[in-house]
Amino acid sequence: MDLAPQLVNFVARYVPYLAQGFALTLALAAASVPLSLAWSLAILLPRLSKRHWLAAVAAAYIEVMRNTPLLIQMYLIYFGLPLFNIFLSGFACGVLAITLQHGAFLAEVLRGGVESVSARQWEAARAIGMRNRQAFRLVVLPQAVVKVVPPICNQLIVLVKDTSLVSAIGVMEVTLSAKVIIERTGASYEVFVAVALFYLVMTTALGAGLRVAERRLALRFG
Amino acid sequence: MFHVLIISLPYLLKGAVVTVWLSLATISLGTLLGFALGTAGAVGPRPLRAAVTAYVFVLRGVPILVVMFLGYYVFPALGYRVDAYVAVGAAMVVYVGAFVSEIVRGAILAVPSGQIAAARSLGMRRGPMLREIVFPQAFRMAIPPLLNTALTTIKQTSYVSVVGAWELSYAAREVVERTLAAFEIFLGVMVLYFIICYPLSVAARHLERRYAFAS
């Protein structure tokens, strides 16, 4: 079988055409991952709030995000915002949509972690004189984060794959670049094999990196 | 304010019907494929297990949109003229199959080894042991994550519109191109998707809780 050299061959042929797309996909991922993590923490606090209406609003938001496709949310932002005289680039709309959706999913994962931390940890923290807020930040949240690192890693990998959807609103990331190459040059489906390999390398590298981070965290807090 | 949405609703509902059919077809076929692969990956011969692991590894690392594009372009390249639905549907089945197979494999391997030891000590052969002891317990555990995968799949059917198959999201874009009422149409379509997805997500959460108590 000379499948492997053949594969390398046509991957190599399209790399120069796809280089910009690769870069843009990496940029999308680099912007969306930290923003989604930050947003998930921002939703987690009201979701866990003792004020019922605040928790209900956060829960409703999470339900809407969980039960509607990212693509439609992205369209709503990209085509809807200009009607309110807000003009954002395709890139910004894509990052915003990904952050809003994945922030909600990550918040749910985090909430599962927080609720799995034993009530005794709260009580112990309160007993040594910590305020609620301190107890949450110094005792509960670190333990919760360590518990949920594996599902968070999975979610971040899904997030990185979802950056491909930004192609639907005209951002020339790697998926759209491949489609355009096929349409302009009559190239064949091999372009998408190259794109698939690129994503595979990216998600595998991310997964490996996150596993290292997981081990470090577990050593520090676990 | 929402009169464009009301006028376009029949057209959008036609799209929603296609979305539901596409979901049912890809979820059922993908789940069948996933059960076959997952079972082979857990209890099959070693080369088969390795093949399933490789299959799952590759597909889980690639976005479904890319797999759909591959499906869309690969059939003509191999000399088959197929319908766009068949091409993207096949891609979805292959993709869903990978995720289901991972769930099924995990569930089979999660059956406590004491159960297997007990079955052996009763003198059960491998076949009946798997059929009567291992699979029933494994499939019960697999139901909540399978429902979550089904939910994800319904949402992912919207991506076929990017490749060029007509369903709810495609219909929505058509209506917006004609009427420019982007905000109300996409908001309305979000509500339609929510109506399709919400019962399933409630069921998934309910079963998750029930099985969590049972174990």
Side-chain angles (χ1 to χ4, degrees), chain A residues 32-43:
Chain A
S32 310
V33 167
L35 283 173
S36 300
L37 286 170
W39 181 231
S40 74
L41 280 176
I43 312 164

Side-chain angles (χ1 to χ4, degrees), chain A residues 45-56:
Chain A
L45 295 177
R47 182 69 189 80
L48 293 170
S49 165
K50 289 208 175 65
R51 289 185 201 113
H52 282 291
W53 65 269
L54 202 57

Side-chain angles (χ1 to χ4, degrees), chain A residues 3-168:
Chain A
L3 194 65
Q6 211 181 328
L7 203 68
V8 171
N9 219 358
F10 57 60
V11 168
R13 193 183 326 153
Y14 296 113
V15 162
Y17 299 99
L18 290 171
Q20 275 193 323
F22 291 150
L24 206 45
T25 292
L26 289 174
L28 278 166
S32 310
V33 167
L35 283 173
S36 300
L37 286 170
W39 181 231
S40 74
L41 280 176
I43 312 164
L44 178 67
L45 295 177
R47 182 69 189 80
L48 293 170
S49 165
K50 289 208 175 65
R51 289 185 201 113
H52 282 291
W53 65 269
L54 202 57
V57 169
Y61 165 77
I62 290 171
E63 280 308 302
V64 170
M65 290 294 129
R66 271 171 57 101
N67 290 294
T68 55
L70 176 58
L71 183 67
I72 302 294
Q73 295 159 15
M74 216 173 262
Y75 283 156
L76 186 66
I77 292 170
Y78 185 70
F79 296 109
L81 283 186
L83 303 181
F84 300 95
N85 283 323
I86 301 170
F87 298 93
L88 296 177
S89 68
F91 186 94
C93 288
V95 171
L96 181 59
I98 290 171
T99 301
L100 290 176
Q101 161 124 24
H102 283 279
F105 274 94
L106 289 166
E108 274 301 275
V109 175
L110 280 175
R111 187 170 70 96
V114 169
E115 287 180 350
S116 76
V117 174
S118 153
R120 286 190 199 153
Q121 297 287 325
W122 277 107
E123 286 161 13
R126 298 284 292 142
I128 60 170
M130 284 187 176
R131 291 171 186 283
N132 260 331
R133 190 170 296 204
Q134 281 176 310
F136 182 73
R137 193 165 53 85
L138 298 173
V139 178
V140 177
L141 195 59
Q143 294 186 58
V145 168
V146 171
K147 280 188 185 179
V148 296
V149 167
I152 284 191
C153 295
N154 283 336
Q155 193 61 40
L156 290 180
I157 287 171
V158 176
L159 185 158
V160 167
K161 291 191 288 174
D162 273 351
T163 59
S164 62
L165 274 185
V166 181
S167 62

